[in-house]
């Protein structure tokens, strides 16, 4: 949402400026480049694309234009991702083995390497945020923010290049990297961090970075364990049930939900500290934390609802019923009911304070169980991501 | 308050709604922790008879279709409906109202209000203020009061109220759709004894009417297994520990079922070529379905759900593994069929259960290697005349384990056990013959003397005297006899019986050395008997011999005296189809759209009201603001408007 107020003499009443009048030449250039790229991609590859893929392509052009207009840093991020990914893909020369031979791929922007950089940068960002908090150093805070952006950039490059790599294995193996735990954990880190960065800018506070990066770093820990101990970072072909267009929107929608709930839980932990008079002088005020927590949960709730519905539509196609009370579905419902109750008590009963914060924190446990625990402990129809 | 009024208050209250949500959550958890819809025998084994009965009474084996779970859902629908009923009139009123009746006094009592001094020009002020409101998305009404003052009552974001109505109506719609597709009508019919569950394993056309569901059944979710070349016009709906037969308005034939694989061996697609035969059709409808691509015909969706064997024809070599026979007996069989083997008291019945053409296994010891396809296997039971059965799973091709190749067969005596595996080493031609010939020789007591003789020739020096030689040969024959009676275990018994404790360790080592040496002779003899000349014994052969001795020892624990080696197969697959009719689906989907719209409206539309009371006599403007949710955004907005108004009015 645009809040920039235009204070030229013509706007003497300080009226809000209509959305399109707020856009500058950079915004238009960005959108033009984006749309031009989609058109070029379409003219080059349209013979390989069906109607869904064409829709996705142009849909992405429009969605990312809007996203960049609403939140300016996205423009730079997107340009960065595109440049690095194209550069990396170019270095492959269509040969998977290039990863071990070409310097840049081996040490910087090969898919697994880029993900490793993402991991490192996220952990560094967390440490830097904490340092900035304790040292009250605005400069260090800025460094932490940059590290987080860099990590997000590397993570996305890693995913893009991985996408390309999957097609190098064999054309019929190729698929979007959203299909196993390794890939979705990367997505989780990226989405959670992006959401955090958005709120960091909106609330002009960097003090929460250390808290949020804590969950992200935990996810990084999981990625590392999964890579080194389980060797589960390889690209696997898709089992038939996963070969669906619904997957491509169901999974990201789900992770916006998971990311937002995690963000809310971490803000809740900061709230609880402030409530106990710990770090009060360093953290934002309780009402800011409370507001942020509410916003995160409502965004999460909205997207989780969409994700669950998309999941049902997909299930209707793959399993023959939109709702089978499979363990994953059921736990999604439980998570959803949990946050529905949270929102009710806050909005209808006007409940505030530590109770809601504790609830948001415990909500994260429920969410984590739905996300991971179900795969580990319960059996069901969800065929991907067993540990 | 009357009782019904009190009930209404309770059901439509927030407290009750949150309680129902909680109960629903907990009830759902039970169903994920306890595996649902397993065969009842498994539950009895798991919990014991007492708990099994109790849990069955509580409906815990099919929580989501139990009566009490339905009751929770009904309460949810009731509570939400009453809540809508109770709140909607108010919401709609709020949505339309401008609240222009507020008094100056009540405006002063607002927590968010401010009074400004302003210029004389009433019209200019009014114009400025209406411009101010319009630019910020507020709609307003103006009322003139008798005392000359004017009130502008403005509002924005009223559609947030619709959000409430949408969200909650959506919940009701989704639940009703879900209940329609659930098995409520069936439950009712069962309750009145009109329908019963069938649990006998009988052909579909013999299932009595009480367990048949007619074509007109509104909603169902049933399964059908069609072998290639077969057709059917009924499907089976699983209900607790039994099933019901669902009749279909058409019949379905399967012409072909295909599995495609990735180069790594993982399945890539499952496809069934179906033909729908329906008198309403001019000619049969041909259609191919696959996972994620069902066919919908006459409101019934036909899904590719799974696959299994449809009665593949198999050929075997049956080896008498505990006999001295070196030749196998060919036997034929088919999956789901039974084949008699042997006769009389030793007669065995072979019951073939499943055939799989592809098996993706990870055979590396540390689990780090890549899984790959190891070829076909067959699962079967061998039942003796007493009715006791053991289950086996045999792989057709040798599997590579630890760098060497083995024919692998798993055995278990009951479904609760894990398979125990027998590994028979493949010979240099990757066949089983080498092992089987050698086994035949070792089990042939008539040949033991000959083997012992050959061995003695090599083990003893030419100069050793005849008595020693005879004695040595005799002890080798005894050893061979023991091994032939029970493998290494029998030799251990022999040692325990005849050697003093202190020397047993040493004796065992000597015996093993001898057996290994003897095995080499036995192997050469077996090869010669098969007409193979110039047998070389190299390192590979040594490893083969060692594996063979171990395998022969294990044969005594294999359960049955025969080994089935698959030699040929003619695969016939069966496709598992799921057939559903869910009239509630469209309700559920439209409810879902409503839900999303409603939630976004509730979250992102903020309802706010502004009152501006212009008082020309006092030359003041009173500004008051309120929102149905007072949060931080509201405070920020109020402060912004307050200062903007101050700039505007004091110009
Ligand atoms: C499964 C059942 C229900 C679900 C999933 C549900 C969901 C929701 C959601 C998502 C919100 C909006 C929170 C937000 O603004 O983000 C909400 C608000 C609300 N709900 Fe429910 N609800 C349910 C049942 C009920 C019941 C039975 C009542 C009756 C007491 C009720 C009363 C309300 C009220 C009064 C609001 C606030 C509306 C407002 O102030 O705008 N809800 N509900």
């Amino acid at each position: 949402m645009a809040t920039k107020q235009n204070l030229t003499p013509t706007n003497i009443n300080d009226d809000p400026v209509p959305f399109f009048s707020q856009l500058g030449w950079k915004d238009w250039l960005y959108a033009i480049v984006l749309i031009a790229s989609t058109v070029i991609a379409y003219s080059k590859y349209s013979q390989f694309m069906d109607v869904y893929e064409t829709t996705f392509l142009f849909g992405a052009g429009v969605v990312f234009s809007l996203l960049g207009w609403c939140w300016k840093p996205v423009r730079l991020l997107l340009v960065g991702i595109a440049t690095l990914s194209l550069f990396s893909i170019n270095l492959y020369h269509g040969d998977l083995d290039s990863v071990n031979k070409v310097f840049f791929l081996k040490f910087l922007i090969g898919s697994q390497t880029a993900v490793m950089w993402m991991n490192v940068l996220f952990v560094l960002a967390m440490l830097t945020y904490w340092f900035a908090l304790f040292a009250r150093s605005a400069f260090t805070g800025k460094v932490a923010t940059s590290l987080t952006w860099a990590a997000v950039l590397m993570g996305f490059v890693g995913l893009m290049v991985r996408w390309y790599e999957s097609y190098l294995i064999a054309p019929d193996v190729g698929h979007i990297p959203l299909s196993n735990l390794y890939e979705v954990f990367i997505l989780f880190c990226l989405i959670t961090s992006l959401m955090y960065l958005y709120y960091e800018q909106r609330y002009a506070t960097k003090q929460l970075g250390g808290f949020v990066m804590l969950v992200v770093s935990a996810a990084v820990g999981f990625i590392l364990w999964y890579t080194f101990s389980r060797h589960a970072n390889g690209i696997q072909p898709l089992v038939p049930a996963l070969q669906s267009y619904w997957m491509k929107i169901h999974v990201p929608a789900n992770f916006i939900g998971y990311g937002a709930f995690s963000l809310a839980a971490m803000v809740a932990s900061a709230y609880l500290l402030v409530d106990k008079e710990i770090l009060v002088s360093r953290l934002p005020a309780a009402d800011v934390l409370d507001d942020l927590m509410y916003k995160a949960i409502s965004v999460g709730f909205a997207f989780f609802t969409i994700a669950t519905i998309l999941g049902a539509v997909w299930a209707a196609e793959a399993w023959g019923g939109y709702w089978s009370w499979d363990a994953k579905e059921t736990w999604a419902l439980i998570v959803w009911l949990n946050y529905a109750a949270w929102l009710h008590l806050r909005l209808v009963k006007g409940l505030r304070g530590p109770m809601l914060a504790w609830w948001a924190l415990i909500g994260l446990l429920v969410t984590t169980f739905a996300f991971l625990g179900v795969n580990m402990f319960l059996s069901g129809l969800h065929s991907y991501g067993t540990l | 308050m009357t009782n019904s009024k009190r009930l209404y208050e309770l059901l439509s209250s927030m407290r009750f709604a949150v309680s129902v949500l909680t109960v629903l959550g907990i009830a759902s958890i039970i169903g994920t922790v306890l595996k649902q819809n397993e065969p009842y025998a498994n539950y009895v084994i798991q919990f014991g008879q007492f708990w099994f009965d109790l849990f069955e009474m509580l409906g815990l084996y099919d929580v989501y279709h139990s009566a009490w779970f339905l009751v929770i859902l009904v309460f949810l629908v009731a509570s939400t409906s009453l809540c809508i009923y109770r709140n909607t009139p108010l919401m709609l009123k709020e949505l339309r109202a401008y609240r222009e009746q507020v008094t100056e006094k009540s405006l002063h009592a607002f927590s968010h209000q401010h009074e400004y001094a302003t210029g004389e020009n009433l019209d200019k002020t009014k114009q400025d203020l209406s411009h101010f409101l319009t630019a910020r998305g507020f709609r307003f009404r103006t009322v003139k009061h008798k005392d000359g003052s004017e009130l502008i009552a403005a509002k924005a974001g009223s559609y947030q109220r619709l959000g409430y109505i949408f969200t909650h109506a959506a919940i009701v719609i989704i639940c009703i759709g879900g209940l329609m597709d659930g098995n409520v009508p069936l439950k009712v019919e069962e309750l009145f004894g009109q329908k019963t569950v069938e649990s006998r394993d009988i052909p579909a056309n013999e299932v009595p009417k009480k367990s048949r569901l007619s074509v007109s059944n509104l909603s169902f979710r049933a399964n059908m297994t069609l072998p290639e070349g077969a057709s059917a016009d009924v499907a089976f709906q699983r209900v607790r520990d039994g099933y019901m037969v669902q009749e279909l308005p058409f019949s379905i034939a399967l012409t072909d079922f295909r599995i495609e694989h990735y180069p790594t061996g993982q399945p890539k697609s499952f496809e069934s070529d179906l033909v729908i035969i329906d008198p309403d059709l001019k000619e049969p409808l041909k259609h191919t379905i696959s996972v994620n691509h069902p066919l919908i015909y006459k409101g019934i969706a036909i899904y590719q759900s799974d696959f299994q064997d449809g009665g593949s024809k198999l050929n075997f070599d049956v080896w008498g593994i505990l006999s001295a026979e070196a030749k196998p007996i060919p036997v034929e069989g088919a999956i789901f069929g039974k084949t008699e083997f042997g006769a009389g008291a030793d007669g065995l019945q072979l019951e073939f259960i499943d055939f799989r053409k592809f098996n993706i296994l990870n055979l590396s010891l540390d689990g780090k290697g890549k899984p790959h396809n190891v070829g076909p296997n067959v699962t079967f039971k061998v039942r003796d005349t007493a009715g006791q059965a053991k289950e086996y799973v045999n792989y057709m091709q040798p599997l590579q384990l630890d760098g060497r190749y083995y024919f692998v067969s798993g055995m278990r005596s009951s479904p609760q056990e894990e398979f125990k595996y027998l590994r028979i080493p493949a010979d240099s031609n990757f066949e089983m013959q080498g092992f089987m010939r050698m086994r035949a020789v070792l089990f042939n007591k008539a040949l033991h003397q000959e083997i012992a003789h050959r061995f003695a020739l090599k083990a003893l020096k030419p100069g050793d005297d005849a008595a020693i030689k005879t004695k040595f040969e005799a002890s080798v024959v005894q050893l061979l006899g023991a091994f032939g009676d029970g493998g290494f275990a029998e030799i251990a018994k022999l040692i325990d019986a005849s050697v003093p404790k202190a020397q047993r360790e040493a004796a065992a080592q000597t015996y093993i050395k001898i057996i290994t040496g003897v095995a080499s002779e036995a192997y050469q003899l077996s090869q010669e008997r098969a007409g193979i000349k110039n047998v070389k014994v190299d390192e590979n052969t040594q490893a083969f011999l060692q594996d063979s001795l171990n395998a022969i020892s294990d044969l005594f624990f294999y359960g049955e005296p025969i080994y089935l080696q698959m030699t040929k197969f003619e695969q016939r697959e069966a496709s598992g189809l799921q057939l559903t009719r869910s009239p509630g689906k469209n309700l559920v989907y439209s409810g879902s759209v409503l839900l999303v719209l409603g939630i976004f409206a509730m979250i992102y539309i903020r309802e706010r009201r502004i009152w501006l009371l212009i008082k020309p006599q006092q030359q003041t403007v009173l500004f008051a603001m309120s929102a149905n949710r007072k949060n931080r955004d509201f405070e920020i907005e109020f402060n912004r408007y307050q200062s903007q108004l101050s700039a505007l009015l004091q110009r």
Side-chain angles (χ1 to χ4, degrees):
Chain A
M1 240 149 282
T3 50
K4 202 171 108 190
Q5 299 288 320
N6 195 341
L7 279 176
T8 51
T10 50
N11 189 2
I12 199 156
N13 291 334
D14 200 5
D15 288 340
V17 179
F19 183 72
F20 279 99
S21 320
Q22 286 176 28
L23 300 177
W25 65 270
K26 279 192 208 155
D27 292 306
W28 289 111
L29 179 68
Y30 164 76
I32 289 167
V33 169
L34 209 58
I35 300 297
S37 314
T38 49
V39 171
I40 292 171
Y42 181 72
S43 60
K44 258 182 114 162
Y45 300 112
S46 63
Q47 73 265 36
F48 304 111
M49 294 178 6
D50 60 21
V51 53
Y52 293 100
E53 284 152 341
T54 313
T55 319
F56 272 119
L57 178 67
F58 286 102
V62 174
V63 166
F64 286 115
S65 295
L66 284 175
L67 209 61
W69 285 348
C70 292
W71 187 29
K72 310 295 179 192
V74 163
R75 297 174 310 187
L76 201 61
L77 176 69
L78 213 71
V79 172
I81 295 171
T83 316
L84 277 185
S85 309
L86 287 175
F87 178 54
S88 169
I89 286 170
N90 221 16
L91 291 177
Y92 272 85
H93 295 293
D95 177 14
L96 256 187
D97 209 34
S98 308
V99 181
N100 302 316
K101 293 185 211 139
V102 182
F103 175 82
F104 274 111
L105 295 181
K106 196 167 175 186
F107 296 105
L108 273 171
I109 47 174
S111 89
Q112 307 260 350
T113 347
V115 171
M116 277 304 150
W117 277 112
M118 174 198 84
N119 293 338
V120 171
L121 287 166
F122 271 137
V123 175
L124 278 181
M126 177 189 68
L127 297 175
T128 319
Y129 270 123
W130 280 112
F131 182 80
L133 181 73
F134 282 104
R136 297 181 197 268
S137 155
F139 173 74
T140 321
K142 276 187 192 151
V143 173
T145 306
S146 313
L147 283 172
T148 312
W149 277 110
V152 170
L153 173 66
M154 285 318 254
F156 273 113
V157 170
L159 284 183
M160 297 305 272
V161 178
R162 187 180 173 88
W163 197 349
Y164 169 75
E165 270 189 351
S166 71
Y167 281 88
L168 285 187
I169 292 178
D172 63 354
V173 170
H175 58 84
I176 189 170
L178 293 177
S179 65
N180 64 25
L181 271 184
Y182 175 79
E183 292 162 348
V184 298
F185 257 91
I186 298 173
L187 187 72
F188 172 80
C189 292
L190 297 177
I191 288 183
T192 311
S193 316
L194 273 179
M195 262 192 279
Y196 164 72
L197 286 169
Y198 176 74
Y199 286 118
E200 176 183 288
Q201 195 182 23
R202 275 212 68 186
Y203 285 74
T205 167
K206 295 191 194 295
Q207 286 101 316
L208 294 172
F211 289 86
V212 179
M213 287 300 130
L214 222 52
V215 246
V216 174
S217 298
V220 164
F222 181 89
I223 295 175
L224 293 177
W225 172 75
Y226 215 48
T227 309
F228 291 114
S229 170
R230 303 300 295 263
H231 301 272
N233 52 340
I235 298 173
Q236 296 295 333
L238 287 184
V239 298
L242 292 182
Q243 297 163 11
S244 164
Y245 287 102
W246 297 112
M247 178 184 87
K248 296 171 186 148
I249 33 180
H250 167 68
V251 176
N254 238 323
F255 277 83
I256 295 179
Y258 288 145
F261 293 149
S262 313
L263 181 69
M266 293 333 276
V267 175
S269 62
Y271 181 95
L272 288 170
L273 287 184
V274 170
D275 190 59
K276 294 223 158 44
E277 314 255 316
I278 304 169
L279 291 178
V280 178
S281 66
R282 291 182 158 84
L283 288 172
D287 69 322
V288 174
L289 292 172
D290 176 77
D291 191 55
L292 183 49
M293 181 167 72
Y294 162 66
K295 290 231 167 81
I297 286 190
S298 23
V299 172
F301 186 75
F303 277 91
F304 200 74
T305 309
I306 296 178
T308 310
I309 293 169
L310 290 173
V313 177
W314 180 11
E317 245 176 58
W319 299 334
Y322 50 82
W323 197 264
S324 314
W325 293 103
D326 144 80
K328 196 91 181 175
E329 280 175 351
T330 310
W331 275 94
L333 177 70
I334 293 164
V335 168
W336 192 75
L337 291 176
N338 177 47
Y339 288 107
W342 192 96
L343 287 169
H344 271 100
L345 287 189
R346 191 191 150 100
L347 293 172
V348 187
K349 287 272 158 209
L351 185 70
R352 292 291 138 93
M355 156 96 174
L356 273 187
W358 276 114
W359 191 342
L361 206 55
I362 293 167
L364 182 62
L365 291 186
V366 181
T367 310
T368 312
F369 188 81
F371 171 21
L372 266 186
V374 171
N375 298 16
M376 289 197 287
F377 303 118
L378 307 175
S379 61
L381 298 164
H382 268 80
S383 47
Y384 81 86
T386 43
L387 282 168
Chain B
M1 247 199 300
T2 61
N3 274 344
S4 60
K5 179 94 172 107
R6 231 179 269 144
L7 185 68
Y8 166 71
E9 287 286 328
L10 174 70
L11 285 180
S12 64
S13 74
M14 251 328 281
R15 205 156 27 101
F16 187 76
V18 171
S19 313
V20 172
L21 293 187
T22 316
V23 173
L24 180 63
I26 293 170
S28 312
I29 292 178
I30 299 177
T32 67
V33 175
L34 185 64
K35 259 195 167 179
Q36 301 285 290
N37 291 312
E38 294 268 296
Y40 275 22
N42 293 8
Y43 291 122
V44 178
I45 293 167
Q46 198 180 345
F47 303 118
Q49 194 64 42
F50 174 75
W51 292 108
F52 169 81
D53 289 338
L54 187 69
F55 288 175
E56 188 190 5
M57 214 174 68
L58 295 175
L60 294 192
Y61 306 130
D62 195 3
V63 170
Y64 308 114
H65 298 108
S66 65
W68 57 269
F69 195 82
L70 293 182
V71 169
I72 298 179
L73 286 181
V74 169
F75 267 112
L76 186 68
V77 172
S79 158
T80 317
S81 312
L82 287 178
C83 179
I84 300 174
Y85 176 75
R86 186 177 176 174
N87 289 320
T88 304
L90 196 82
M91 297 267 177
L92 289 179
K93 215 175 108 205
E94 283 284 310
L95 197 154
R96 277 189 246 115
Y98 282 88
R99 294 218 211 139
E100 57 271 52
Q101 297 84 5
V102 282
T103 59
E104 183 175 355
K105 206 166 141 224
S106 63
L107 286 180
H108 275 297
F110 271 49
S111 55
H112 294 78
Q113 44 102 4
H114 192 83
E115 190 147 18
Y116 304 92
T118 179
E120 284 152 50
N121 192 338
L122 176 70
D123 281 339
K124 165 109 178 31
T125 308
K126 254 174 74 178
Q127 212 183 342
D128 280 351
L129 289 179
S130 42
H131 176 83
F132 176 86
L133 290 170
T134 319
R136 281 155 189 76
F138 282 80
R139 293 184 299 146
F140 56 88
R141 267 191 200 162
T142 316
V143 252
K144 286 198 169 75
H145 291 159
K146 283 195 208 89
D147 62 359
S149 65
E150 274 187 39
L151 177 71
I152 306 178
K155 63 173 184 175
S158 304
Y159 289 112
Q160 188 199 31
R161 305 280 177 170
L162 276 189
Y164 165 83
I165 300 173
F166 280 14
T167 316
H168 293 78
I171 301 290
V172 175
I173 293 173
I174 290 173
C175 286
I176 291 176
L179 287 173
M180 267 168 77
D181 289 346
N183 54 358
V184 179
L186 182 61
K187 269 233 119 64
V188 174
E189 281 184 304
E190 257 193 279
L191 202 66
F192 291 106
Q194 282 160 326
K195 294 284 174 207
T196 54
V197 174
E198 179 62 73
S199 53
R200 291 168 298 168
D201 189 8
I202 51 174
N205 54 10
E206 287 171 24
V207 172
K209 201 151 180 52
K210 275 197 138 183
S211 303
R212 298 180 85 87
L213 303 171
S214 79
V215 172
S216 61
N217 186 10
L218 249 191
S219 85
F220 57 82
R221 199 162 168 183
N223 293 288
M224 165 194 283
T225 303
L226 268 186
E228 286 167 332
S231 72
D233 59 1
V234 292
F236 297 89
Q237 193 168 353
R238 265 185 65 176
V239 187
R240 293 189 299 278
D241 60 338
Y243 62 91
M244 291 200 185
V245 172
Q246 173 65 56
E247 290 167 357
L248 302 173
F250 49 82
S251 73
I252 308 175
L254 178 71
T255 45
D256 191 22
F257 173 76
R258 287 177 302 277
I259 306 182
E260 275 182 52
H261 293 262
Y262 291 107
T264 46
Q266 282 113 317
K268 178 172 150 190
S269 74
F270 305 118
E271 285 184 344
S272 296
D273 292 342
L274 302 181
V275 182
I276 306 286
I277 303 142
D278 182 354
D280 293 353
L281 286 172
K282 274 202 215 85
E283 54 186 87
L285 170 72
K286 287 189 183 159
H287 191 89
T288 302
I289 60 166
S290 61
V291 180
N292 277 319
H293 301 280
L295 163 69
I296 297 173
Y297 179 69
K298 285 200 165 169
I300 297 178
I302 307 170
Y303 298 87
Q304 178 69 62
S305 120
D306 52 22
F307 65 94
Q308 52 170 278
D309 199 273
S312 298
K313 290 206 185 78
L314 308 169
N315 291 67
F316 297 94
D317 276 347
V318 181
W319 302 88
I321 47 176
L322 294 181
S323 76
E325 181 52 62
K327 290 238 156 17
I329 300 167
V331 160
E332 284 180 6
I335 298 301
F336 307 131
K338 293 177 178 148
T339 303
E340 299 295 336
F341 182 79
D346 294 335
L348 294 171
Q349 180 169 284
L350 311 176
E351 304 170 6
F352 300 101
I353 299 169
D354 196 15
F355 169 79
R356 282 172 184 262
K357 195 167 163 189
F358 288 91
N359 288 284
I360 313 295
L361 296 182
N362 186 350
L363 295 177
S364 58
L365 285 182
D366 52 5
K368 285 184 183 166
K370 286 231 163 78
H372 63 278
N373 178 22
V374 299
N377 72 2
V378 57
T379 309
F380 59 95
K381 279 187 177 165
V382 180
R383 196 177 294 279
D384 61 22
T385 41
Q388 295 293 331
K390 295 199 173 60
E391 187 181 344
Y392 295 88
V393 52
N394 287 13
Y395 288 85
M396 185 180 187
Q397 291 156 11
L399 314 187
Q400 191 184 20
L401 301 162
D402 277 340
R404 300 187 42 75
Y405 286 89
Y406 302 89
F407 290 93
V408 172
S409 166
M411 185 279 283
R412 63 181 174 188
S413 315
S414 77
Q416 279 78 43
E417 286 173 28
E418 296 274 335
F419 278 108
K420 291 195 285 281
Y421 289 93
L422 170 71
R423 306 159 151 207
I424 293 179
D427 62 19
S428 49
N429 297 330
F430 294 98
E431 284 174 350
M432 194 171 259
Q433 269 77 349
F435 170 82
M436 287 297 174
R437 282 198 294 267
M438 158 140 164
R439 184 259 317 141
V441 165
L442 277 177
F443 284 160
N444 192 342
K445 291 220 156 107
L447 294 174
H448 286 182
Q449 186 60 47
E450 162 80 13
I451 299 170
H453 180 68
R454 288 185 180 206
F455 179 62
L457 276 183
K458 285 193 190 146
L460 300 178
K461 293 183 203 88
D464 284 341
D465 83 37
I468 292 180
K469 205 171 151 197
T470 320
K471 203 169 156 223
F472 181 75
E473 279 179 19
S475 62
V476 171
V477 167
Q478 191 198 9
L479 204 59
L480 269 171
F483 189 75
D485 283 344
F488 287 126
E490 194 65 27
I491 292 183
K493 265 193 228 155
L494 187 75
I495 294 176
D496 283 351
S498 60
V499 182
K501 214 171 191 165
Q503 291 144 34
R504 278 182 197 163
E505 179 78 35
Q509 281 183 7
T510 320
Y511 280 16
I512 285 175
K513 223 183 244 164
I514 295 176
I515 278 290
T516 320
V518 169
S520 169
E521 298 305 325
Y523 173 67
Q524 293 179 46
L525 181 61
S526 72
Q527 296 290 80
E528 283 166 25
R529 284 163 62 90
I532 301 164
K533 304 222 171 64
N534 302 328
V535 185
K536 269 193 249 103
V537 176
D538 53 15
E539 223 167 89
N540 274 338
T541 324
Q542 286 300 347
F544 171 77
L545 292 176
Q546 199 55 55
D547 287 338
S548 297
L549 290 175
N550 292 339
I552 290 173
S553 287
D554 289 346
L555 291 179
F556 295 99
F557 301 97
Y558 189 58
E560 296 293 350
I562 54 171
Y563 187 97
L564 268 66
Q565 165 62 4
M566 205 186 339
T567 51
K568 233 171 73 183
F569 60 82
E570 195 178 305
Q571 191 183 25
R572 185 184 187 206
E573 294 176 293
S575 180
L577 306 179
Q578 179 162 186
L579 294 98
T580 67
R581 176 142 71 192
S582 39
K585 189 161 136 178
N586 291 337
L587 268 187
V588 171
Y589 284 3
S590 29
S592 300
V593 173
L594 210 58
L595 181 64
V596 172
L597 290 178
I599 289 177
F600 272 91
M602 276 212 269
I603 295 176
Y604 287 110
I605 304 180
R606 291 182 305 122
E607 192 201 64
R608 291 143 299 153
R609 291 177 184 276
I610 288 179
W611 292 268
L612 292 159
L613 183 63
I614 310 167
K615 292 182 284 182
Q617 281 121 358
Q618 289 93 335
Q619 299 203 344
T620 56
V621 170
L622 177 60
F623 161 59
M625 191 167 171
S626 84
N628 70 336
R629 282 188 215 137
K630 292 210 174 78
N631 52 21
R632 193 169 162 273
D633 288 345
F634 174 72
E635 301 289 342
I636 292 172
E637 193 176 11
F638 174 75
N639 289 334
R640 189 165 70 235
Y641 289 172
Q642 194 189 348
S643 59
Q644 286 175 351
L645 278 174
S646 146
L648 182 74
L649 291 169
Q650 264 133 45
R651 209 162 51 219

